[in-house]
Amino acid sequence: MESIQPDFHFSRRRVLAYSLLPIACAALGRSIALGDARAQSPTDRIPELSQADSYFLALSRAITGHSDLNPTTAMRLSAAFARVQPAQLAQLHNVQTFMHDGQDAAALLQAAETAGLGTATLALVTAWYTGTVDGDSKTEVVSYTEALMYQSVRDAMAAPTYCLGGPAWWTELPPAVGVSPPVHPTTSAPANATPDSKPK
Amino acid sequence: MKTPVFSNGDVDADLVVVGAGVVGAMIADQIVGLGRSVLMLDAGPRLDRAQVVENWRNLPFKNRVGSDFDGIFPQSPHASVPLYFPPNDYVALSGPNGDSYKQGYVRAVGGTTWHWAASCWRHLPVDFRMKSTYGVGRDWPISYDDLEPYYCRAEEEMGVSGPNDPALQSPSQRSRPYLSDMVPWGQGDKRFAEVVNPHGYNCVPIPQGRMVQPWNGRPACCGNNNCQPICPIGAMYNGIHHVQRAESKGAVVLAESVVYRIDTDANNRVTAVHWYDAEQRSHKSTGRAFVVACNGIETPRLLLLAANTQNPQGIANSSDQVGRNMMDHSGFHCTFLANEPMWPGRGPAQSSCIVGPRDGAFRSEYSANKIILSNISRVAPATQQALKLGLVGKALDDEIRRRAAFGVDLSISLEPLPDPKNRLTLSKTRRDSLGLANPDIYYELSPYVHKGYDAACKQLNHIGQLFDAVEFNITTSLNANNHIMGGTIMGSDPKSSVVDGDCLAHDHANLWLPGGGAIPSASVVNSTLSMVALGLKSADAISRVMGQA
């Protein structure tokens, strides 16, 4: 049977075009990239927010450091908290007291933790990064591609089920990693690493 | 085009295939292509790919990061499968290693290849001669050379891409090249091989049931990195492709049709199977030839359920070997952060694998292994780990990116030996919604596997050193790999085996039982290609018998 050999010439050019797209978006700023995405969905127009939702969005932006969070997603996350974690939602309202201009996310978290509101604050962070609000008995999924975990690597890969380019796009060199490499804790080294026990 | 004949809800066909997964569908396609009428009965429903993709995206994060691959597939209420989020205990596991036998499979038209990773490995020639070469396990009644032409056909039917450079093949004994050369490696695969191969590990490309160009109505793979649990675009080979091909030639598939009884005549030939439809009405299908290919758990379960007066221990079970010798590749994982970015998650879910420890004289004492470099995105586990550190803001984004880029997950498979005491039996107390007994499985791993684990750990520790690994960890409990084998074991002696080298039941001249259950030695590689090759060999045997009729 005849062998089929892939023609990478065309796909490479296409991959290059795809790979430049997020860089271009990044150069224009996150708000423009997200604004474009929102414009594609008529149901995703910037909504009129209640005072509570405006606060929820402001707190979310402050604690994640992402100033471009989608207001519609914020409303849906807030509603999900109201259904599956109402006590935490009430606690988040109290974190408002500690927000102020020029404060970074870590300082806000520390203030919340000091006030005994750290668990609720980190639950909000988890919800934005995973797209899921976990309750004691119920769980709600609010977002998939918009989950912030995928944003941190979006120049290198798309959220699974989507692809970043055409066939064989992954043969291109990955982007610069842009973060420091992992470091050894002071005491352990792989030479000494062994399993804790035999398999059961 | 000859099609099955329906009459008052019953059916007659030249060939009746129970189980419309990759093996059953492949055989159906072959036989219907010869102008014979073919009926396929599957216990599960038809699936809509887009719906399954949406179900996955809508799954809570903890289910996705925990690999909850089974719950997203719509199920028939009358065809249960094992579920683990939460456990439904459809299969009751016992024995010292019952927890290592938590299998996942899809009961639906198209079968479990809806959520495999499309690795299409061949057994090694020596894998067919484990007893005579290493003094352990069993020999097959057929040789690698006997199966080799069927491996070629299986690869060609499934559209496999694989390395055409013999130095990168495992094994290199091939009579024909792959249709398409290897799925090209990304940077992570290249770097991993460059680092480990000077030390003899032999990291090679995985032959895969996908191509990077359109083929035979199938789109090119564009690296959606979601092979498991569902390829969103159908670029990965799936048994549904041969179901549809067989249907286009006149085969008929009845979904949600649960076979529960098998009739035999005075010569112990199978004359009919009976099934319940979705409304629990019973129907019968008569035929000339019968195939049961319901995967390694449901096939032995059905054979035991269908015990009749003439076959009181179960169909095909005069040897008492049906349901025994249950095997799976015992798996474990090694994770670490490397000293350079590997960026797993770019491309298909797995593309490279260490095969150096697949074979050697040590196999007389302990298990071989293979070590897959997982290419599944590490973003979700990286996020889970980074969130646990209590980070927020840019520090959290950077930590996720660091762990996603530098993270390595190695998936290791070990080889079990066939052992009759590892046994599937019918529950005396638990029944499904149709009143059919659920399966119970006793599972105990031998020192052969445990010693293989120890040997693999030494190799992994060395690999960790090569990457100056941070947070190096090897899991200590062995997990299932869903490569279910052994329950209808193949052999030349009808007293100690269930099927012959064509997967024809020793007890029944017109009943074939191809698939994982027939495999007498597990090797360390995914079983699907061997299952399909055996299925095609069965199809040739069926066509010969039909030609004589």
Side-chain angles (χ1 to χ4, degrees):
Chain A
M1 208 169 291
E2 190 182 354
S3 179
I4 300 166
Q5 297 300 330
D7 175 9
F8 290 123
H9 183 67
F10 173 72
S11 63
R12 279 212 177 105
R13 275 185 299 170
R14 192 161 51 173
V15 165
L16 186 63
Y18 276 110
S19 64
L20 288 176
L21 189 60
I23 296 169
C25 291
L28 292 170
R30 276 178 169 156
S31 60
I32 291 176
L34 273 180
D36 286 347
R38 282 204 294 276
Q40 291 170 4
S41 170
T43 60
D44 212 17
R45 286 189 291 269
I46 296 173
E48 291 288 328
L49 297 183
S50 67
Q51 187 178 2
D53 284 340
S54 293
Y55 160 67
F56 186 91
L57 177 59
L59 173 62
S60 296
R61 286 175 169 171
I63 197 63
T64 62
H66 288 257
S67 60
D68 52 1
L69 296 179
N70 186 334
T72 303
T73 307
M75 286 176 63
R76 295 181 61 223
L77 270 177
S78 174
F81 267 96
R83 284 187 291 268
V84 306
Q85 281 286 14
Q88 283 191 339
L89 186 61
Q91 287 186 324
L92 290 174
H93 191 75
N94 294 333
V95 179
Q96 184 175 20
T97 320
F98 308 103
M99 285 173 57
H100 58 77
D101 289 344
Q103 178 186 41
D104 71 13
L108 176 56
L109 175 63
Q110 187 168 18
E113 283 175 336
T114 303
L117 302 170
T119 301
T121 306
L122 288 174
L124 177 63
V125 174
T126 297
W128 275 104
Y129 275 80
T130 64
T132 304
V133 182
D134 272 318
D136 295 329
S137 58
K138 282 190 295 186
T139 296
E140 284 199 25
V141 178
V142 171
S143 59
Y144 181 72
T145 53
E146 218 179 308
L148 289 181
M149 61 180 172
Y150 298 124
Q151 301 303 310
S152 62
V153 297
R154 65 180 178 178
D155 56 337
M157 65 190 77
T161 72
Y162 296 90
C163 51
L164 199 60
W169 65 267
W170 57 89
T171 58
E172 299 295 317
L173 281 177
V177 70
V179 293
S180 59
V183 293
H184 286 285
T186 50
T187 53
S188 77
N192 299 323
T194 53
D196 298 332
S197 62
K198 300 298 178 202
K200 297 179 183 70
Chain B
M1 183 186 290
K2 191 178 177 190
T3 57
V5 177
F6 283 74
S7 173
N8 295 323
D10 294 341
V11 192
D12 181 77
D14 292 328
L15 173 66
V16 178
V17 179
V18 184
V22 58
V23 175
M26 192 77 68
I27 294 171
D29 177 60
Q30 295 283 313
I31 301 303
V32 75
L34 299 174
R36 302 288 178 170
S37 60
V38 175
L39 174 72
M40 279 185 274
L41 299 166
D42 199 279
R46 286 268 180 177
L47 298 178
D48 171 15
R49 182 184 300 275
Q51 183 61 57
V52 178
V53 174
E54 280 309 294
N55 291 349
W56 174 247
R57 291 173 180 157
N58 288 326
L59 208 59
F61 173 75
K62 65 184 174 193
N63 293 61
R64 276 185 270 129
V65 79
S67 302
D68 179 6
F69 292 163
D70 302 297
I72 62 169
F73 289 91
Q75 290 163 22
S76 161
H78 302 313
S80 299
V81 293
L83 298 175
Y84 302 102
F85 290 82
N88 68 349
D89 298 323
Y90 167 65
V91 179
L93 298 167
S94 64
N97 300 101
D99 281 349
S100 297
Y101 211 76
K102 292 180 178 174
Q103 304 296 343
Y105 52 93
V106 177
R107 291 179 83 182
V109 177
T112 308
T113 46
W114 279 100
H115 84 34
W116 66 325
S119 296
C120 288
W121 293 102
R122 296 179 174 205
H123 271 45
L124 301 173
V126 72
D127 292 336
F128 292 70
R129 305 187 313 273
M130 288 296 288
K131 185 71 178 176
S132 53
T133 307
Y134 297 121
V136 296
R138 292 188 179 210
D139 285 352
W140 296 46
I142 57 173
S143 68
Y144 177 87
D145 289 342
D146 292 328
L147 201 58
E148 202 281 337
Y150 297 100
Y151 273 136
C152 289
R153 280 171 56 186
E155 289 160 349
E156 289 159 7
E157 288 287 340
M158 298 163 81
V160 174
S161 301
N164 276 330
D165 175 356
L168 299 178
Q169 294 170 345
S170 176
S172 59
Q173 292 90 335
R174 302 179 54 86
S175 61
R176 294 204 287 271
Y178 288 103
L179 285 185
S180 180
D181 207 346
M182 62 179 275
V183 172
W185 274 357
Q187 181 70 1
D189 294 297
K190 285 181 189 167
R191 283 297 299 143
F192 189 76
E194 284 169 2
V195 171
V196 303
N197 278 351
H199 301 274
Y201 287 104
N202 197 18
C203 181
V204 299
I206 297 176
Q208 304 175 40
R210 58 176 67 81
M211 294 186 188
V212 289
Q213 63 275 354
W215 177 80
N216 206 11
R218 189 171 75 182
C221 174
C222 65
N224 307 60
N225 201 246
N226 207 72
C227 317
Q228 291 172 309
I230 178 78
C231 174
I233 63 171
M236 179 175 73
Y237 177 77
N238 176 328
I240 196 68
H241 298 162
H242 273 91
V243 169
Q244 291 167 342
R245 211 173 294 175
E247 286 178 311
S248 73
K249 298 173 185 172
V252 171
V253 178
L254 298 180
E256 298 190 72
S257 301
V258 182
V259 174
Y260 67 96
R261 181 176 143 194
I262 298 174
D263 292 342
T264 49
D265 66 12
N267 296 318
N268 222 10
R269 292 176 65 87
V270 174
T271 55
V273 298
H274 297 249
W275 79 90
Y276 291 117
D277 66 18
E279 280 75 44
Q280 301 189 44
R281 291 174 302 217
S282 185
H283 305 272
K284 181 169 85 168
S285 177
T286 50
R288 262 59 69 200
F290 294 81
V291 168
V292 176
C294 308
N295 91 37
I297 285 179
E298 296 300 331
T299 290
R301 176 187 178 226
L302 171 58
L303 297 174
L304 296 174
L305 281 171
N308 60 22
T309 308
Q310 208 172 347
N311 302 275
Q313 295 192 105
I315 298 297
N317 197 25
S318 65
S319 64
D320 192 35
Q321 294 297 300
V322 169
R324 294 187 182 272
N325 304 297
M326 298 297 288
M327 294 185 282
D328 177 26
H329 300 120
S330 294
F332 62 105
H333 286 256
C334 172
T335 53
F336 58 86
L337 300 173
N339 55 358
E340 61 180 297
M342 305 298 286
W343 281 118
R346 294 164 54 87
Q350 45 185 242
S351 276
S352 59
C353 182
I354 286 174
V355 295
R358 269 192 81 175
D359 189 39
F362 63 86
R363 291 177 84 185
S364 62
E365 297 173 43
Y366 59 86
S367 160
N369 73 61
K370 82 175 193 299
I371 303 172
I372 297 169
L373 174 64
S374 171
N375 193 38
I376 296 171
S377 164
R378 296 291 294 165
V379 172
T383 301
Q384 199 173 42
Q385 294 158 0
L387 286 168
K388 277 185 187 159
L389 297 173
L391 301 171
V392 292
K394 185 171 186 303
L396 177 56
D397 287 332
D398 286 354
E399 188 64 25
I400 292 171
R401 188 175 174 92
R402 179 180 300 109
R403 289 171 177 275
F406 292 88
V408 171
D409 176 14
L410 303 176
S411 175
I412 303 95
S413 297
L414 300 169
E415 175 177 20
L417 298 174
D419 182 343
K421 73 171 175 290
N422 287 331
R423 186 180 186 192
L424 180 151
T425 52
L426 299 178
S427 171
K428 292 184 170 53
T429 55
R430 299 175 308 110
R431 299 279 186 275
D432 67 13
S433 62
L434 294 168
L436 306 174
N438 285 14
D440 292 342
I441 296 177
Y442 175 92
Y443 201 59
E444 178 176 349
L445 290 167
S446 68
Y448 189 81
V449 172
H450 292 300
K451 285 184 197 169
Y453 173 89
D454 293 339
C457 284
K458 288 179 188 162
Q459 294 154 1
L460 294 165
N461 275 306
H462 179 229
I463 291 168
Q465 290 173 37
L466 296 175
F467 285 95
D468 193 20
V470 173
E471 296 185 16
F472 183 89
N473 183 62
I474 301 175
T475 55
T476 54
S477 59
L478 296 173
N479 56 268
N481 261 312
N482 314 322
H483 307 152
I484 309 164
M485 295 166 279
T488 51
I489 202 159
M490 176 191 289
S492 51
D493 183 356
K495 291 191 175 65
S496 61
S497 61
V498 180
V499 298
D500 70 9
D502 287 329
C503 297
L504 176 66
H506 290 306
D507 296 353
H508 310 276
N510 65 339
L511 174 64
W512 283 263
L513 306 170
I519 292 177
S521 72
S523 185
V524 289
V525 293
N526 312 47
S527 48
T528 303
L529 189 76
S530 293
M531 291 164 56
V532 172
L534 290 172
L536 289 169
K537 194 165 188 296
S538 293
D540 273 11
I542 293 166
S543 67
R544 283 196 301 273
V545 169
M546 286 183 163
Q548 292 164 3

